[in-house]
Amino acid sequence: MYEMSREILYVIVGIPILAILGYVMVVLLAVNPFGFLILGIFLLLVALAVDSLKSDGEPPARINCSECGAPNEPDRDQCKHCEVSLESAAD
Protein backbone atom coordinates (compact mmCIF):
# COMPACT_ATOMS: atom_id res chain seq x y z
CA MET A 1 0.00 0.00 0.00
CA TYR A 2 2.81 2.42 0.87
CA GLU A 3 4.62 1.83 -2.43
CA MET A 4 1.44 2.41 -4.41
CA SER A 5 0.59 5.67 -2.65
CA ARG A 6 4.14 6.97 -3.12
CA GLU A 7 3.97 6.28 -6.85
CA ILE A 8 0.60 8.01 -7.09
CA LEU A 9 2.10 11.01 -5.30
CA TYR A 10 4.93 11.17 -7.83
CA VAL A 11 2.47 11.09 -10.72
CA ILE A 12 0.03 13.63 -9.31
CA VAL A 13 2.55 16.09 -7.86
CA GLY A 14 5.91 15.29 -9.41
CA ILE A 15 5.12 15.29 -13.10
CA PRO A 16 3.45 18.74 -13.15
CA ILE A 17 6.28 20.19 -11.05
CA LEU A 18 8.91 18.72 -13.37
CA ALA A 19 7.03 20.02 -16.40
CA ILE A 20 6.91 23.53 -14.95
CA LEU A 21 10.59 23.41 -13.99
CA GLY A 22 11.44 22.14 -17.46
CA TYR A 23 9.61 25.05 -19.06
CA VAL A 24 11.28 27.58 -16.75
CA MET A 25 14.64 25.97 -17.48
CA VAL A 26 14.21 26.29 -21.26
CA VAL A 27 13.16 29.93 -20.95
CA LEU A 28 16.07 30.77 -18.63
CA LEU A 29 18.59 28.96 -20.84
CA ALA A 30 17.42 31.10 -23.74
CA VAL A 31 17.72 34.32 -21.73
CA ASN A 32 20.79 34.05 -19.49
CA PRO A 33 23.33 31.66 -17.92
CA PHE A 34 21.23 31.43 -14.74
CA GLY A 35 19.35 28.69 -16.57
CA PHE A 36 22.29 26.34 -16.11
CA LEU A 37 21.75 26.49 -12.34
CA ILE A 38 18.09 25.63 -12.86
CA LEU A 39 19.18 22.82 -15.22
CA GLY A 40 21.39 21.36 -12.49
CA ILE A 41 18.63 21.52 -9.90
CA PHE A 42 16.18 19.98 -12.37
CA LEU A 43 18.51 17.07 -13.13
CA LEU A 44 19.18 16.55 -9.42
CA LEU A 45 15.45 16.36 -8.68
CA VAL A 46 14.94 13.85 -11.49
CA ALA A 47 17.84 11.72 -10.22
CA LEU A 48 16.48 11.77 -6.66
CA ALA A 49 13.00 10.78 -7.85
CA VAL A 50 14.37 7.87 -9.88
CA ASP A 51 16.59 6.73 -7.01
CA SER A 52 13.72 6.78 -4.52
CA LEU A 53 11.63 4.62 -6.85
CA LYS A 54 14.40 2.00 -6.89
CA SER A 55 14.72 1.66 -3.11
CA ASP A 56 12.69 -1.12 -1.53
CA GLY A 57 12.31 0.72 1.78
CA GLU A 58 13.16 -2.28 3.93
CA PRO A 59 15.87 -1.91 6.57
CA PRO A 60 18.72 -4.42 6.58
CA ALA A 61 18.10 -7.68 8.44
CA ARG A 62 19.13 -7.69 12.11
CA ILE A 63 19.57 -10.39 14.71
CA ASN A 64 18.44 -9.53 18.23
CA CYS A 65 20.52 -10.82 21.12
CA SER A 66 18.73 -13.47 23.17
CA GLU A 67 20.21 -12.06 26.42
CA CYS A 68 19.99 -8.27 26.16
CA GLY A 69 17.80 -7.82 23.05
CA ALA A 70 20.24 -5.51 21.28
CA PRO A 71 20.07 -5.49 17.47
CA ASN A 72 23.17 -6.87 15.73
CA GLU A 73 24.26 -7.25 12.12
CA PRO A 74 23.61 -10.75 10.72
CA ASP A 75 27.32 -11.40 10.12
CA ARG A 76 28.31 -10.97 13.79
CA ASP A 77 29.12 -14.00 15.96
CA GLN A 78 28.79 -12.21 19.31
CA CYS A 79 26.53 -9.45 20.59
CA LYS A 80 28.15 -6.03 20.31
CA HIS A 81 26.84 -5.09 23.77
CA CYS A 82 27.07 -8.13 26.05
CA GLU A 83 29.40 -10.43 24.04
CA VAL A 84 26.97 -13.40 24.21
CA SER A 85 27.12 -15.81 21.27
CA LEU A 86 24.47 -15.06 18.63
CA GLU A 87 24.45 -18.64 17.26
CA SER A 88 21.32 -19.58 19.22
CA ALA A 89 19.50 -16.40 18.11
CA ALA A 90 20.17 -17.09 14.42
CA ASP A 91 18.40 -20.50 14.53
Side-chain angles (χ1 to χ4, degrees):
M1 179 72 180
Y2 174 71
E3 292 297 321
M4 189 173 179
S5 63
R6 184 174 69 174
E7 290 172 358
I8 290 172
L9 179 68
Y10 282 146
V11 171
I12 293 173
V13 176
I15 290 176
I17 289 175
L18 290 177
I20 292 168
L21 283 175
Y23 176 75
V24 169
M25 176 189 64
V26 169
V27 169
L28 287 176
L29 279 173
V31 175
N32 62 22
F34 181 69
F36 288 105
L37 177 64
I38 300 297
L39 174 65
I41 294 170
F42 177 76
L43 293 176
L44 179 65
L45 289 174
V46 169
L48 289 174
V50 169
D51 185 52
S52 67
L53 285 174
K54 291 180 186 175
S55 66
D56 57 2
E58 293 183 23
R62 302 277 183 182
I63 297 175
N64 290 336
C65 176
S66 60
E67 292 294 318
C68 69
N72 290 280
E73 290 78 21
D75 60 342
R76 291 187 61 97
D77 294 330
Q78 293 182 331
C79 177
K80 62 184 174 183
H81 293 283
C82 65
E83 302 296 322
V84 171
S85 175
L86 294 174
E87 293 298 321
S88 60
D91 295 332

